[in-house]
Amino acid sequence: MPGFTAESALGPTTGTYRVDTVFGRSGGILPMLKKQRSCTTTYAGFVVYPMTVCYPWPDLVTGLVTASSRIPDSTPASQPMKHLNLSAARTAASRLSPFCRVSGGPWFAQVTTTESCDDAIPDFSRLEIIAAPQPFSIQWTGDLRDIPAPFSEQQFSLWGVPSCSCCAGFTQCPDGRCVPHGTSCDIHPA
């Protein structure tokens, strides 16, 4: 286009628009509305994430450790049998089992997103893997669309009904609406 420059497309940069205003449909400037409510939304799904899964020693070894096992040696039958004490081995086994493997899941996970009443503060989200062999959670600013890799939005579905509450300066009506303090809940918007 003749006469078009990138700088002219940006519009005025000094004093024309106030920060607390937004454009109306008619092109005029309207005051920005204060946010009335904030909601907490929960999503659930299955994720693939590598975790170390350890199993306890097999029952055979555990049975040998807990029972007073008798091991015969080359002593005559008239002498008592010697006992094998594996309690030290069992204690070490509970700390570091040789029966470990890495598993990718899938693991059941839950994402909780909480909106802020202040538009200048972004939403806050947290992912927790539930019932996995190790605790795992991450948090980020943003909603489900902003979930960090290796997880994706497509792995989750809405779980339950969002829990909403009115922001400061608003009262919750029985029908769930938030109205400014001092405004009757009987007045319904057109």
Side-chain angles (χ1 to χ4, degrees), residues 16-17 20 24 58 75 77 83 91 93 98 111 114 128 130 138 146 172 174 176:
T16 303
Y17 306 115
D20 63 342
T75 58
H83 295 274
T91 304
V111 173
T114 304
E128 292 180 278
I130 314 265
I138 57 170
D146 303 313
Q172 187 160 0

Side-chain angles (χ1 to χ4, degrees), residues 94-145:
S94 65
R95 282 180 278 158
L96 182 62
S97 175
F99 302 101
C100 294
R101 66 180 175 85
V102 175
S103 174
W107 312 110
F108 180 71
Q110 180 178 333
V111 173
T112 305
T113 299
T114 304
E115 297 175 72
S116 172
C117 282
D118 187 345
D119 283 329
I121 300 173
D123 296 344
F124 173 81
S125 295
R126 177 184 187 95
L127 177 142
E128 292 180 278
I129 295 180
I130 314 265
Q134 304 163 7
F136 179 87
S137 70
I138 57 170
Q139 51 196 10
W140 66 95
T141 54
D143 58 16
L144 186 62
R145 293 172 294 189

